[in-house]
Amino acid sequence: MRQGIAAHHARLWRYCVALTGRRDWADDLVQAACLRALEKAAQYQSGTHVDRWLFRIAQTTWLNELRRRKVRFGGGLVAVEDVDLPSGQPDTETNILARQVLNHITRLPEAQRLTVFLVYVEGFSYADAAAQLDIPIGTVMSRLATARRTLNAKLEGTKP
């Protein structure tokens, strides 16, 4: 199990950043997910993809944390202004466009943002993303289509 966690640690961290919207929270979530995976290693079924198992643990842990925060603080959602995006001076037009796209992606509704991340960043198939999010494959396709329309409209400066 330790080897599987080590092999997918970077992907898990990226997924946790997409879930939480902040690097410091992502660090905590990765630690909690890895600890939980080690504690529940006996429940891991051989043949299952370790990365998907870890992503599911992270997602469940994050949802539980959101519920706890909602009860404690009456909130639980991360404001767009609080998202800790990496800062750096882009040196080419491609980097500028990528930064604009990333900024618009972080403003998508959570369901669309996670779907875009799983399919376009992590390279999951539609079926795998549907299984990961526990939704029908048609919903994945619908979320991606809506996200693409929204992003295209924002990048062109029109209304979605």
Side-chain angles (χ1 to χ4, degrees):
M1 182 51 57
R2 290 179 194 267
Q3 291 172 347
I5 291 172
H8 299 290
H9 189 267
R11 291 181 70 207
L12 178 63
W13 184 81
R14 285 192 308 264
Y15 182 66
C16 290
V17 170
L19 277 173
T20 64
R22 290 184 46 175
R23 289 174 164 214
D24 55 339
W25 290 355
D27 292 338
D28 294 341
L29 182 57
V30 167
Q31 183 177 2
C34 289
L35 179 62
R36 182 102 172 137
L38 290 172
E39 289 172 347
K40 302 295 183 180
Q43 294 178 0
Y44 175 75
Q45 296 176 1
S46 184
T48 304
H49 295 275
V50 175
D51 57 344
R52 294 176 192 147
W53 190 64
L54 289 170
F55 282 23
R56 177 60 90 183
I57 290 172
Q59 183 178 14
T60 303
T61 303
W62 178 243
L63 291 175
N64 289 339
E65 178 62 23
L66 286 180
R67 287 184 196 109
R68 275 193 289 273
R69 287 179 190 200
K70 192 171 188 175
V71 169
R72 287 185 203 146
F73 306 113
L77 299 177
V78 178
V80 172
E81 299 81 34
D82 295 336
V83 174
D84 182 20
L85 293 175
S87 63
Q89 297 298 327
D91 55 351
T92 64
E93 289 183 23
T94 302
N95 288 339
I96 293 170
L97 179 61
R99 177 67 179 213
Q100 290 173 341
V101 170
L102 180 60
N103 284 333
H104 290 304
I105 288 172
T106 61
R107 291 183 179 101
L108 289 172
E110 182 179 2
Q112 290 176 17
R113 185 178 70 238
L114 289 177
T115 307
V116 165
F117 177 80
L118 286 174
V119 173
Y120 296 132
V121 176
E122 288 301 325
F124 282 98
S125 68
Y126 288 5
D128 290 341
Q132 179 67 33
L133 296 171
D134 197 25
I135 57 175
I137 194 168
T139 303
V140 168
M141 295 186 319
S142 174
R143 287 179 184 176
L144 290 174
T146 303
R148 281 191 303 265
R149 269 194 309 276
T150 302
L151 292 172
N152 283 334
K154 293 209 185 270
L155 291 171
E156 293 173 0
T158 61
K159 283 193 164 188

